[in-house]
Amino acid sequence: MRVKIIGSAAGGGFPQWNCNYRLSRAARAGMPGVHSRTQSSIAASADGKGWVLFNASPDIRQQIAQAPELQPAADAPLRSTPIRAVVLTNADVDHVAGLLSLRERQPFAIYASAQVLATLEANSIFNVLDPSIVPRRLLAPMEEVAIRGADGHPTGVVVGSFPVPGKVALYLEQGGDPGADFSSDTGDTIGVRISGADGRGAVFYVPGCARIDAALRMRLADAACLLFDGTVYTDDEMITARVGQKTGARMGHIAMSGEAGSIAGLADVKIGRRIFIHINNTNPVLDENSAEHAAVKAAGWEVAADGMEMEF
Ligand code: MLT
Ligand code: MN
């Protein structure tokens, strides 16, 4: 199984188009140790030929341009793609908007939870992907699903999905009730376990997660590799950076640091390799020379960068 991180930033990317915070400025200036990143997506392949994308980010065109393995092969038909399927972990803009760039009547399959499929259904713009050409399939929770292309051929990639604490996409929130529970685990956000047909060497991809509970810790215990929500380093980071009013918790994202953070919450779980992904443009770990980056590394974590590849 090959896994390639094609987009390691959170929604907005890094630098974000309208962001003038010091980190986005440093990325634009080409400061050593501060690398630009595209929005949230990974790709997996069991045979090195057919690929399954996990999330379709608004940057997908650039991501394909930067990954030869996701481009049409030299000897392939005039219109073709090695992308056989796209699995969605929620309906956030940074995870579904890229579907619109995959139009042109090109067959592939979409897999998502019932909630996310309902959101695609309710937004007619997604009909640019004609369901008779791009089938939409249910990723039933807690089941191991063999991912198949539009033609029904198995890709060799098997995905198990499970609800994680999170919330609905921002544009689906109703009323903005500050007292609402933004870390419910009803399936608006899922985590996925990615493996080959033999089920071994599982990679877990959980780009959004509001809280670490006993169920999640148990589930992650056989992970060869975990790619986990690294949106913010501290819960109030966007407020102290003076770029927004929301905490990480309000956005459905657990912080890396602190007693209730992910580093502490997963410290005693046996995981082969742990990597933060979906990193927001306010997160100080984006600067490789920061104390926060050093702290994360010292705790045994890596910080994802675009183009990172793994083989299991
Ligand atoms: C998130 O991860 O919380 C969302 O991508 C935020 C957004 O929609 O901008
Ligand atoms: Mn996001």
Side-chain angles (χ1 to χ4, degrees):
M1 177 72 53
R2 275 177 68 195
V3 173
K4 182 160 181 159
I5 295 173
I6 60 172
S8 53
F14 181 60
Q16 177 175 301
W17 73 282
N18 67 339
C19 183
N20 215 11
Y21 184 55
R22 64 175 178 86
L23 291 167
S24 287
R25 294 191 66 83
R28 284 190 197 103
M31 193 176 156
V34 184
H35 306 289
S36 295
R37 286 166 165 84
T38 62
Q39 294 167 77
S40 192
S41 182
I42 69 169
S45 179
D47 59 9
K49 292 194 196 104
W51 288 81
V52 178
L53 296 190
F54 292 82
N55 293 322
S57 101
D59 300 322
I60 194 164
R61 185 179 170 282
Q62 180 187 345
Q63 291 166 339
I64 292 171
Q66 287 169 350
E69 53 277 76
L70 300 180
Q71 301 165 7
D75 58 354
L78 274 174
R79 291 290 167 99
S80 80
T81 176
I83 298 167
R84 302 269 178 268
V86 177
V87 176
L88 304 170
T89 62
N90 63 20
D92 283 2
V93 172
D94 55 341
H95 289 161
V96 302
L99 289 174
L100 303 177
S101 298
L102 300 180
R103 63 194 184 279
E104 316 296 358
R105 302 182 72 78
Q106 181 68 49
F108 66 94
I110 296 172
Y111 287 83
S113 68
Q115 283 100 317
V116 173
L117 290 180
T119 299
L120 299 184
E121 182 74 35
N123 288 273
S124 57
I125 193 169
F126 290 106
N127 290 336
V128 294
L129 300 174
D130 179 346
S132 73
I133 297 172
V134 182
R136 302 173 186 183
R137 299 181 184 147
L138 178 68
L139 202 58
M142 324 305 251
E143 271 176 33
E144 296 283 295
V145 176
I147 303 298
R148 298 168 185 274
D151 59 3
H153 277 92
T155 59
V157 175
V158 174
V159 172
S161 70
F162 47 91
V164 294
K167 67 173 191 67
V168 295
L170 192 53
Y171 60 89
L172 296 173
E173 281 184 19
Q174 285 179 346
D177 175 7
D181 179 6
F182 294 109
S183 68
S184 67
D185 60 355
T186 48
D188 291 302
T189 297
I190 60 169
V192 289
R193 177 187 192 276
I194 309 164
S195 70
D198 63 4
R200 297 211 329 256
V203 176
F204 284 79
Y205 175 53
V206 188
C209 185
R211 177 166 46 83
I212 288 165
D213 54 20
L216 183 61
R217 286 150 55 101
M218 229 154 71
R219 200 175 296 287
L220 297 178
D222 76 331
C225 177
L226 169 65
L227 302 166
F228 192 76
D229 184 344
T231 309
V232 291
Y233 187 76
T234 42
D235 189 48
D236 63 355
E237 174 181 301
M238 288 186 44
I239 299 166
T240 56
R242 296 192 292 134
V243 300
Q245 283 87 47
K246 284 182 183 169
T247 60
R250 171 64 183 78
M251 296 189 295
H253 296 293
I254 186 174
M256 295 177 175
S257 65
E259 264 174 51
S262 53
I263 293 175
L266 293 171
D268 59 1
V269 183
K270 203 169 158 281
I271 295 166
R273 204 171 154 186
R274 48 190 87 202
I275 304 175
F276 281 123
I277 199 163
H278 189 280
I279 303 158
N280 194 51
N281 47 64
T282 50
N283 191 323
V285 305
L286 286 167
D287 178 357
E288 284 171 12
N289 296 311
S290 66
E292 292 85 355
H293 189 96
V296 160
K297 298 282 283 212
W301 284 79
E302 297 169 64
V303 177
D306 290 13
M308 251 172 102
E309 271 194 62
M310 288 152 270
E311 204 155 342
F312 297 92

